Amino acid sequence: MADHTEPTEEGPRRAPATPGPYTIAAVARAGGRAHPAPDCRPGARPPRRRDATRPRAAGLLTVREAGPGDHDAALAMHRRCSRRTLGMRYQGPPDEADGYLRHLLSPHFGRTLAVQTAGGRLVALGHLLWDDDEAEVALLVEDAWQRRGLGTDLLRRLLAMAAGLGYASVYVVTRALDAAMAATVRKAGVPLEYQVDGATLVVTAHLDKRLIPAAGPAGLR
C-alpha cells in the first residue's frame, strides 16, 4: 500500500477570531436547547477516567492516540482535504477549520485517535469530546482515503473508548444530507436515536460494552 496522497488545497487559512467548539455551540437539540460548550477556562481538566487504548498497526497504517504535538501534521492534513470535506466536517466555512485544531487536540477537552501512514502522514482523525454526562464523537478522513473503512474503524474504537470511560451514550452531529457519515454511524452496531433539526442531524449512540464490536485493524479494503 503506497502513501500516494497529494495536497489538493494550498494557501493560508483564516482562523476564527474566537476559536470554539466546531459544532457544539452551533447546534440545537432537544427542543431548541443548545449544547453547552466545553469548559475552556484555564486549568480545566477532562474527567478523571482511564482507558486502555493502545496503538495498533496493520500493514502500513497505524492507529494511535494524538495530541497537541500533532497540530502541524493535522494542519497539513487539512490542506490535503477538499473544501467540501472540511465544510461537511466542521459545519461551517472551510477557511475557519484550522482554528479549531488546538481545541480538538487538547487533552483538556477530550481524546483524539489518528490514523497515520508509514511515512508519517495523518490521513484520518477521530475525536471524543467531553460534554457533561455525554460525549461527542467527530470524524475527519482525508479525501483520498475515504470509502476504505477508516471512519468506521475509528468510530468503533471511539465508542469502545467512551464505554470504557463510563459514558452511557455519545452523539454525532452532522448534516442531514451527509449520507456517508450516517452510513458510518449505522455500521457501529449499537442502538441509535436520530434527531433532525433543519439541515442538522444528531445521532445518539447508546453504549453497552457487550454490544460494541471489536474494532478491526485500520487499512484498505
Side-chain angles (χ1 to χ4, degrees):
M1 179 180 62
D3 182 1
H4 61 275
T5 57
E6 294 293 338
T8 58
E9 293 288 333
E10 297 292 343
R13 306 251 182 219
R14 178 175 60 85
T18 306
Y22 55 103
T23 58
I24 295 175
V27 178
R29 292 175 64 202
R33 178 176 61 84
H35 284 310
D39 188 354
C40 298
R41 296 172 299 174
R45 293 292 186 273
R48 297 183 62 85
R49 295 163 172 164
R50 181 183 178 188
D51 78 277
T53 301
R54 291 182 173 85
R56 295 178 59 186
L60 298 179
L61 293 179
T62 300
V63 181
R64 62 172 178 82
E65 288 205 35
D70 294 291
H71 183 259
D72 289 346
L75 282 175
M77 177 183 161
H78 273 187
R79 281 154 177 74
R80 295 190 301 271
C81 290
S82 67
R83 293 179 63 84
R84 181 182 184 278
T85 290
L86 292 177
M88 293 288 280
R89 162 63 182 83
Y90 292 100
Q91 308 287 306
D95 291 339
E96 297 183 355
D98 288 359
Y100 300 127
L101 283 176
R102 292 193 187 281
H103 178 98
L104 293 173
L105 293 170
S106 171
H108 298 325
F109 307 117
R111 297 280 182 84
T112 296
L113 295 179
V115 180
Q116 178 177 298
T117 68
R121 282 187 175 182
L122 299 189
V123 296
L125 291 170
H127 304 283
L128 179 69
L129 301 168
W130 321 132
D131 186 9
D132 296 328
D133 293 332
E134 290 184 298
E136 181 173 3
V137 167
L139 304 172
L140 175 64
V141 179
E142 187 177 319
D143 294 62
W145 292 83
Q146 292 176 7
R147 295 177 295 280
R148 303 188 185 191
L150 301 187
T152 301
D153 181 78
L154 279 178
L155 178 61
R156 286 175 174 168
R157 292 173 187 269
L158 292 169
L159 292 181
M161 180 185 291
L165 293 171
Y167 284 101
S169 65
V170 302
Y171 60 89
V172 176
V173 180
T174 186
R175 294 185 180 181
L177 53 77
D178 190 349
M181 185 61 183
T184 297
V185 177
R186 285 197 299 272
K187 294 176 185 177
V190 296
L192 302 176
E193 177 184 343
Y194 297 84
Q195 293 181 338
V196 178
D197 182 6
T200 299
L201 172 66
V202 180
V203 184
T204 300
H206 299 282
L207 304 182
D208 184 324
K209 294 179 182 179
R210 297 168 297 177
L211 298 177
I212 298 175
L220 301 180
R221 62 174 187 174

Tab-separated table of all heavy atoms in Angstrom, residues 49-80:
chain	number	residue	atom	x	y	z
A	49	ARG	N	-10.852	9.744	34.275
A	49	ARG	CA	-11.183	8.399	33.874
A	49	ARG	C	-9.989	7.825	33.140
A	49	ARG	O	-9.098	8.529	32.722
A	49	ARG	CB	-12.417	8.390	32.962
A	49	ARG	CG	-13.681	8.857	33.706
A	49	ARG	CD	-14.735	9.217	32.707
A	49	ARG	NE	-16.008	9.493	33.376
A	49	ARG	CZ	-17.008	10.118	32.805
A	49	ARG	NH1	-16.913	10.546	31.575
A	49	ARG	NH2	-18.128	10.330	33.460
A	50	ARG	N	-10.015	6.551	32.938
A	50	ARG	CA	-8.879	5.863	32.346
A	50	ARG	C	-9.349	4.936	31.241
A	50	ARG	O	-10.392	4.340	31.331
A	50	ARG	CB	-8.160	5.046	33.424
A	50	ARG	CG	-6.922	4.305	32.918
A	50	ARG	CD	-6.355	3.475	34.045
A	50	ARG	NE	-5.202	2.713	33.605
A	50	ARG	CZ	-4.610	1.783	34.350
A	50	ARG	NH1	-5.082	1.527	35.558
A	50	ARG	NH2	-3.569	1.133	33.893
A	51	ASP	N	-8.577	4.874	30.161
A	51	ASP	CA	-8.867	3.882	29.145
A	51	ASP	C	-7.590	3.137	28.807
A	51	ASP	O	-6.506	3.580	29.107
A	51	ASP	CB	-9.467	4.525	27.884
A	51	ASP	CG	-8.406	5.173	27.033
A	51	ASP	OD1	-8.053	6.322	27.348
A	51	ASP	OD2	-7.921	4.545	26.075
A	52	ALA	N	-7.775	1.999	28.176
A	52	ALA	CA	-6.621	1.140	27.909
A	52	ALA	C	-6.308	1.074	26.421
A	52	ALA	O	-5.723	0.119	25.946
A	52	ALA	CB	-6.889	-0.267	28.441
A	53	THR	N	-6.735	2.105	25.657
A	53	THR	CA	-6.473	2.096	24.236
A	53	THR	C	-4.980	2.189	23.983
A	53	THR	O	-4.303	3.053	24.515
A	53	THR	CB	-7.172	3.285	23.549
A	53	THR	OG1	-8.572	3.176	23.789
A	53	THR	CG2	-6.905	3.289	22.055
A	54	ARG	N	-4.475	1.293	23.163
A	54	ARG	CA	-3.061	1.307	22.807
A	54	ARG	C	-2.934	1.348	21.294
A	54	ARG	O	-3.835	0.905	20.580
A	54	ARG	CB	-2.363	0.050	23.351
A	54	ARG	CG	-2.256	0.025	24.865
A	54	ARG	CD	-1.506	-1.215	25.321
A	54	ARG	NE	-1.257	-1.178	26.749
A	54	ARG	CZ	-2.111	-1.572	27.666
A	54	ARG	NH1	-3.294	-2.001	27.293
A	54	ARG	NH2	-1.816	-1.529	28.945
A	55	PRO	N	-1.816	1.880	20.778
A	55	PRO	CA	-1.638	1.896	19.326
A	55	PRO	C	-1.686	0.491	18.757
A	55	PRO	O	-1.169	-0.449	19.343
A	55	PRO	CB	-0.245	2.527	19.146
A	55	PRO	CG	0.002	3.264	20.417
A	55	PRO	CD	-0.694	2.480	21.490
A	56	ARG	N	-2.344	0.380	17.606
A	56	ARG	CA	-2.366	-0.893	16.903
A	56	ARG	C	-2.023	-0.611	15.451
A	56	ARG	O	-2.392	0.401	14.890
A	56	ARG	CB	-3.749	-1.544	16.980
A	56	ARG	CG	-4.161	-1.950	18.380
A	56	ARG	CD	-5.537	-2.539	18.375
A	56	ARG	NE	-5.608	-3.716	17.513
A	56	ARG	CZ	-6.751	-4.352	17.257
A	56	ARG	NH1	-7.870	-3.928	17.782
A	56	ARG	NH2	-6.760	-5.418	16.473
A	57	ALA	N	-1.304	-1.501	14.837
A	57	ALA	CA	-0.894	-1.293	13.459
A	57	ALA	C	-1.344	-2.442	12.592
A	57	ALA	O	-1.489	-3.567	13.046
A	57	ALA	CB	0.624	-1.142	13.384
A	58	ALA	N	-1.596	-2.161	11.326
A	58	ALA	CA	-1.914	-3.189	10.354
A	58	ALA	C	-1.374	-2.711	9.026
A	58	ALA	O	-1.732	-1.643	8.557
A	58	ALA	CB	-3.421	-3.425	10.272
A	59	GLY	N	-0.501	-3.487	8.409
A	59	GLY	CA	0.070	-3.057	7.151
A	59	GLY	C	0.884	-1.799	7.342
A	59	GLY	O	1.757	-1.721	8.195
A	60	LEU	N	0.569	-0.791	6.535
A	60	LEU	CA	1.319	0.459	6.576
A	60	LEU	C	0.575	1.561	7.310
A	60	LEU	O	0.996	2.706	7.284
A	60	LEU	CB	1.643	0.909	5.147
A	60	LEU	CG	2.518	-0.057	4.344
A	60	LEU	CD1	2.760	0.486	2.945
A	60	LEU	CD2	3.847	-0.299	5.052
A	61	LEU	N	-0.540	1.235	7.949
A	61	LEU	CA	-1.301	2.224	8.704
A	61	LEU	C	-1.226	1.913	10.192
A	61	LEU	O	-1.268	0.754	10.607
A	61	LEU	CB	-2.772	2.234	8.273
A	61	LEU	CG	-3.068	2.719	6.852
A	61	LEU	CD1	-4.558	2.646	6.593
A	61	LEU	CD2	-2.548	4.133	6.631
A	62	THR	N	-1.155	2.966	10.997
A	62	THR	CA	-1.122	2.822	12.444
A	62	THR	C	-2.221	3.685	13.048
A	62	THR	O	-2.415	4.829	12.636
A	62	THR	CB	0.228	3.268	13.020
A	62	THR	OG1	1.263	2.457	12.463
A	62	THR	CG2	0.258	3.124	14.537
A	63	VAL	N	-2.954	3.137	14.010
A	63	VAL	CA	-3.936	3.902	14.778
A	63	VAL	C	-3.331	4.177	16.143
A	63	VAL	O	-2.900	3.256	16.836
A	63	VAL	CB	-5.259	3.132	14.934
A	63	VAL	CG1	-6.274	3.969	15.724
A	63	VAL	CG2	-5.835	2.768	13.571
A	64	ARG	N	-3.275	5.438	16.519
A	64	ARG	CA	-2.658	5.816	17.790
A	64	ARG	C	-3.386	7.019	18.364
A	64	ARG	O	-4.153	7.697	17.676
A	64	ARG	CB	-1.183	6.166	17.579
A	64	ARG	CG	-0.956	7.362	16.648
A	64	ARG	CD	0.498	7.773	16.631
A	64	ARG	NE	0.758	8.870	15.712
A	64	ARG	CZ	0.557	10.152	15.984
A	64	ARG	NH1	0.033	10.508	17.153
A	64	ARG	NH2	0.842	11.095	15.097
A	65	GLU	N	-3.135	7.277	19.650
A	65	GLU	CA	-3.667	8.497	20.249
A	65	GLU	C	-2.869	9.693	19.759
A	65	GLU	O	-1.652	9.606	19.536
A	65	GLU	CB	-3.633	8.412	21.775
A	65	GLU	CG	-4.658	7.447	22.336
A	65	GLU	CD	-5.061	7.782	23.768
A	65	GLU	OE1	-5.124	8.978	24.107
A	65	GLU	OE2	-5.311	6.844	24.530
A	66	ALA	N	-3.553	10.807	19.574
A	66	ALA	CA	-2.922	12.044	19.099
A	66	ALA	C	-3.161	13.138	20.119
A	66	ALA	O	-4.035	13.043	20.975
A	66	ALA	CB	-3.491	12.439	17.740
A	67	GLY	N	-2.357	14.199	20.019
A	67	GLY	CA	-2.471	15.308	20.962
A	67	GLY	C	-1.889	16.580	20.400
A	67	GLY	O	-1.705	16.716	19.178
A	68	PRO	N	-1.581	17.548	21.250
A	68	PRO	CA	-1.086	18.847	20.789
A	68	PRO	C	0.145	18.752	19.898
A	68	PRO	O	0.329	19.586	19.004
A	68	PRO	CB	-0.770	19.579	22.097
A	68	PRO	CG	-1.695	18.957	23.100
A	68	PRO	CD	-1.789	17.516	22.714
A	69	GLY	N	0.984	17.755	20.103
A	69	GLY	CA	2.174	17.612	19.277
A	69	GLY	C	1.883	17.257	17.832
A	69	GLY	O	2.791	17.312	16.991
A	70	ASP	N	0.637	16.912	17.537
A	70	ASP	CA	0.250	16.565	16.172
A	70	ASP	C	-0.409	17.732	15.435
A	70	ASP	O	-0.955	17.546	14.341
A	70	ASP	CB	-0.717	15.378	16.203
A	70	ASP	CG	-0.057	14.116	16.713
A	70	ASP	OD1	0.807	13.578	15.994
A	70	ASP	OD2	-0.405	13.685	17.828
A	71	HIS	N	-0.333	18.925	16.019
A	71	HIS	CA	-1.022	20.074	15.433
A	71	HIS	C	-0.564	20.345	14.008
A	71	HIS	O	-1.380	20.524	13.087
A	71	HIS	CB	-0.806	21.308	16.309
A	71	HIS	CG	-1.539	22.524	15.820
A	71	HIS	ND1	-0.924	23.533	15.119
A	71	HIS	CD2	-2.853	22.888	15.929
A	71	HIS	CE1	-1.805	24.463	14.815
A	71	HIS	NE2	-2.981	24.095	15.290
A	72	ASP	N	0.740	20.376	13.758
A	72	ASP	CA	1.243	20.683	12.423
A	72	ASP	C	0.847	19.609	11.415
A	72	ASP	O	0.488	19.908	10.269
A	72	ASP	CB	2.768	20.840	12.443
A	72	ASP	CG	3.215	22.119	13.147
A	72	ASP	OD1	2.356	22.996	13.383
A	72	ASP	OD2	4.418	22.229	13.457
A	73	ALA	N	0.901	18.337	11.833
A	73	ALA	CA	0.508	17.254	10.933
A	73	ALA	C	-0.983	17.327	10.612
A	73	ALA	O	-1.406	17.020	9.488
A	73	ALA	CB	0.854	15.904	11.558
A	74	ALA	N	-1.800	17.741	11.597
A	74	ALA	CA	-3.234	17.882	11.359
A	74	ALA	C	-3.515	19.054	10.416
A	74	ALA	O	-4.397	18.972	9.554
A	74	ALA	CB	-3.969	18.075	12.687
A	75	LEU	N	-2.750	20.135	10.557
A	75	LEU	CA	-2.888	21.257	9.627
A	75	LEU	C	-2.554	20.808	8.204
A	75	LEU	O	-3.253	21.177	7.247
A	75	LEU	CB	-1.950	22.390	10.026
A	75	LEU	CG	-2.364	23.282	11.204
A	75	LEU	CD1	-1.252	24.266	11.518
A	75	LEU	CD2	-3.666	24.014	10.910
A	76	ALA	N	-1.488	20.032	8.066
A	76	ALA	CA	-1.115	19.540	6.742
A	76	ALA	C	-2.217	18.648	6.163
A	76	ALA	O	-2.501	18.696	4.958
A	76	ALA	CB	0.205	18.774	6.825
A	77	MET	N	-2.851	17.867	7.014
A	77	MET	CA	-3.964	17.042	6.557
A	77	MET	C	-5.120	17.911	6.069
A	77	MET	O	-5.738	17.627	5.038
A	77	MET	CB	-4.420	16.124	7.683
A	77	MET	CG	-5.626	15.257	7.331
A	77	MET	SD	-6.145	14.271	8.753
A	77	MET	CE	-7.820	13.854	8.248
A	78	HIS	N	-5.425	18.969	6.802
A	78	HIS	CA	-6.460	19.898	6.357
A	78	HIS	C	-6.181	20.387	4.944
A	78	HIS	O	-7.099	20.517	4.119
A	78	HIS	CB	-6.532	21.102	7.303
A	78	HIS	CG	-7.436	20.888	8.472
A	78	HIS	ND1	-7.747	21.900	9.355
A	78	HIS	CD2	-8.114	19.798	8.916
A	78	HIS	CE1	-8.561	21.438	10.285
A	78	HIS	NE2	-8.796	20.171	10.038
A	79	ARG	N	-4.941	20.686	4.634
A	79	ARG	CA	-4.594	21.233	3.331
A	79	ARG	C	-4.702	20.204	2.214
A	79	ARG	O	-4.777	20.570	1.038
A	79	ARG	CB	-3.192	21.846	3.376
A	79	ARG	CG	-3.205	23.229	4.028
A	79	ARG	CD	-1.887	23.612	4.645
A	79	ARG	NE	-1.939	24.962	5.188
A	79	ARG	CZ	-2.564	25.319	6.300
A	79	ARG	NH1	-3.209	24.395	7.010
A	79	ARG	NH2	-2.565	26.564	6.712
A	80	ARG	N	-4.728	18.936	2.582
A	80	ARG	CA	-4.935	17.890	1.580
A	80	ARG	C	-6.415	17.533	1.446
A	80	ARG	O	-6.771	16.718	0.584
A	80	ARG	CB	-4.123	16.638	1.942
A	80	ARG	CG	-2.625	16.852	1.893
A	80	ARG	CD	-1.870	15.531	2.014
A	80	ARG	NE	-2.153	14.806	3.251
A	80	ARG	CZ	-1.486	14.967	4.392
A	80	ARG	NH1	-0.503	15.864	4.462
A	80	ARG	NH2	-1.800	14.265	5.466
